[in-house]
Amino acid sequence: MRSRTLVGLAAFGAVAVLTALVVLLSPPAGSAERGDLVGSWRSHQAGALTLRADGTLTAVRVPTAFAADDERPTAWFTGRGTWSLKRKPKLGHQRIRIENEAGETYEVSIAGEGARDGLFIKPPGDTATQFRFKKTL
């Protein structure tokens, strides 16, 4: 009986330690002010996004749709539009709402406090794939 109790306590302890590690090592949910976002952002996949203080934007090859099998982009937004900063949710990343000239809307997530870790677009579903944008100087 005593050995069962010890095994149970050890298993509980291991789960608690693993849970704490996941929480501590997970990046904090991103948030930003409008001023943090104004400027030019580039991705290593040749995408570019310029957000202006007046709420307008210019986009080049910003992914908008993804293949279901391998999560590669299948459609992109290139052109002009507008952007607005959505309210930060209690859990998760704050998002930027983008609208192109045709009225289609997309969302870009903010990584890190003040967008210090950039912006990203995540394909739908349970995936670790992200298309990241870093601010250029």
Side-chain angles (χ1 to χ4, degrees):
M1 177 77 164
R2 182 179 166 114
S3 65
R4 265 193 206 161
T5 302
L6 289 175
V7 169
L9 286 174
F12 176 77
V15 169
V17 168
L18 287 173
T19 301
L21 283 173
V22 167
V23 169
L24 291 173
L25 296 176
S26 296
S31 64
E33 301 292 327
R34 283 183 62 89
D36 298 327
L37 303 170
V38 172
S40 294
W41 300 81
R42 303 266 184 262
S43 79
H44 69 276
Q45 294 102 347
L49 186 60
T50 300
L51 304 176
R52 295 184 193 84
D54 67 358
T56 62
L57 67 84
T58 303
V60 176
R61 292 188 56 82
V62 173
T64 58
F66 304 90
D69 56 348
D70 63 3
E71 300 168 347
R72 66 178 163 38
T74 57
W76 297 265
F77 165 39
T78 295
R80 298 177 189 273
T82 58
W83 69 279
S84 60
L85 182 60
K86 295 181 77 172
R87 185 185 315 251
K88 169 125 176 55
K90 288 185 180 183
L91 297 174
H93 297 279
Q94 188 173 14
R95 292 188 170 87
I96 301 166
R97 180 181 181 272
I98 292 175
E99 184 172 345
N100 66 18
E101 292 177 316
E104 300 166 320
T105 60
Y106 312 102
E107 288 191 353
V108 177
S109 296
I110 298 168
E113 187 65 32
R116 73 173 177 268
D117 298 323
L119 307 176
F120 68 93
I121 299 169
K122 183 178 170 295
D126 188 22
T127 179
T129 301
Q130 295 179 348
F131 294 86
R132 290 201 166 260
F133 292 81
K134 293 290 184 182
K135 197 167 192 180
T136 60
L137 299 178

